Amino acid sequence: ILTVCSLSCIGSKTWPPYDSIMISLSLSRILLQCWTILDLFLTIFCEPSYYEKKMFVFIKTVYIFLNYSSFWFGAWLSVFYCIKVASFTQCFFIWMKKRIASLVPWMLLTSWLYSFAAAIPFAWDVDGVHNNFTAPLPTTNSSEMRTTRKDSLTLLIYLCNAAVSLPLILSLASSILLIRSLWVHTRQMQNNASGFRDPSLEAHMKAVKSVCSLLILYVTYLIAFIFLLCNIFLHFSISKSICIAVMAACPTGHSMVLIWSNPKFRELTARIWHYAKCHVR
């Protein structure tokens, strides 16, 4: 996805809005997957160094920033689909259709800045977060310190939920509006269709399935992320491993759906697969 969209933007003075969103989304997903692998590697093989205060806070802050960025770019992709594909006649949608190309760069820049600002509290509250997970409580005033750390962690969890709620609302609202519009249009085409297979009708049905799949993957990833952030599972427990596996699988599934639903992505994938088969032979 990143290769195809980057090639289409090379040499052009203005980047297409769809390609800009896809480049930002795919780049954030690649960085997030690499950072997750690094995080797991350090947790397993370099545990003493991993739980040093500065290293721990740096890794978790970058991890939160990349997750927030991924949430926002996924939400903007849903908004873009809704604006470009949905057939609404309200003035707001007509205005957005005309302005979406000029709004996308500002939307992406705002997402980067918002994600950075939302991740800053995790870097500020070094003692509250780091000690809550790693350090044993001293015997003196342990009850008071435990309460303070618990309140600090609870505040960060509330900030996280507030940070991810905005892209979640955008994604849900856009996807529901788009599914409703596509479904109404599909039913109208079914009523007017003859006995032969209508390519336009099949395209609309494929679009409905793609949007539903993207929404399910987006919400599933978000739920697993919140569970991990709340730290309700034991270290290396089965439940925590399942959440980590879900968070690793959902971006891959999201990318597969995007490739499957876009002929431009499918064509390059087929060419790469054909070249790989010929090279192996």
Side-chain angles (χ1 to χ4, degrees):
I1 294 174
L2 181 62
T3 302
V4 172
C5 293
S6 299
L7 289 175
S8 65
C9 292
I10 294 176
S12 60
K13 295 182 179 179
T14 58
W15 288 15
Y18 176 77
D19 290 334
S20 300
I21 296 175
M22 293 304 298
I23 288 174
S24 300
L25 178 61
S26 56
L27 184 60
S28 66
R29 290 277 172 82
I30 292 172
L31 293 175
L32 178 59
Q33 294 285 58
C34 294
W35 200 260
T36 302
I37 293 173
L38 176 63
D39 182 44
L40 291 174
F41 179 84
L42 292 175
T43 304
I44 296 172
F45 299 104
C46 306
E47 188 172 359
S49 301
Y50 176 81
Y51 284 110
E52 290 181 1
K53 184 180 296 185
K54 292 182 179 180
M55 177 68 72
F56 180 83
V57 173
F58 175 73
I59 290 176
K60 293 305 178 184
T61 303
V62 175
Y63 179 74
I64 295 296
F65 168 73
L66 292 175
N67 267 290
Y68 286 166
S69 302
S70 180
F71 287 143
W72 272 109
F73 297 142
W76 289 133
L77 181 62
S78 300
V79 172
F80 181 81
Y81 279 154
C82 180
I83 292 173
K84 298 297 288 187
V85 178
S87 56
F88 294 110
T89 58
Q90 285 79 2
C91 297
F92 176 75
F93 280 93
I94 296 175
W95 181 85
M96 287 294 292
K97 283 180 181 290
K98 295 179 180 179
R99 300 289 193 278
I100 187 64
S102 59
L103 291 176
V104 164
W106 294 105
M107 291 157 56
L108 298 177
L109 178 60
T110 304
S111 301
W112 283 114
L113 295 176
Y114 183 92
S115 302
F116 179 76
I120 286 177
F122 289 85
W124 279 347
D125 197 11
V126 174
D127 295 326
V129 177
H130 179 268
N131 293 337
N132 191 81
F133 293 116
T134 61
L137 290 173
T139 55
T140 305
N141 296 329
S142 61
S143 177
E144 182 179 353
M145 294 180 67
R146 184 182 293 110
T147 302
T148 302
R149 291 171 187 170
K150 183 177 180 181
D151 292 342
S152 178
L153 180 63
T154 303
L155 178 59
L156 284 180
I157 292 174
Y158 285 151
L159 288 174
C160 169
N161 292 334
V164 299
S165 62
L166 291 178
L168 176 62
I169 292 172
L170 281 174
S171 183
L172 285 174
S174 302
S175 299
I176 291 173
L177 289 174
L178 180 56
I179 292 172
R180 179 181 177 277
S181 176
L182 289 172
W183 184 253
V184 171
H185 195 196
T186 302
R187 293 298 298 269
Q188 292 176 352
M189 295 174 67
Q190 284 178 337
N191 294 332
N192 298 329
S194 59
F196 300 98
R197 296 179 64 182
D198 189 350
S200 181
L201 178 60
E202 292 183 359
H204 276 74
M205 291 299 296
K206 184 182 292 187
V208 172
K209 294 177 182 178
S210 299
V211 174
C212 291
S213 301
L214 293 175
L215 181 60
I216 292 173
L217 289 169
Y218 187 88
V219 174
T220 303
Y221 182 89
L222 180 63
I223 293 173
F225 172 70
I226 292 177
F227 279 158
L228 280 182
L229 191 69
C230 293
N231 202 48
I232 60 178
F233 302 123
L234 297 176
H235 198 51
F236 291 127
S237 64
I238 296 178
S239 300
K240 187 172 184 177
S241 301
I242 291 175
C243 288
I244 294 174
V246 168
M247 291 186 65
C250 282
T252 304
H254 195 273
S255 300
M256 295 300 294
V257 172
L258 291 174
I259 293 173
W260 172 74
S261 60
N262 192 313
K264 184 170 61 174
F265 298 148
R266 288 204 309 268
E267 180 183 356
L268 181 61
T269 305
R271 287 166 56 187
I272 294 174
W273 177 250
H274 178 72
Y275 176 80
K277 288 175 65 177
C278 295
H279 186 70
V280 170
R281 290 176 182 176

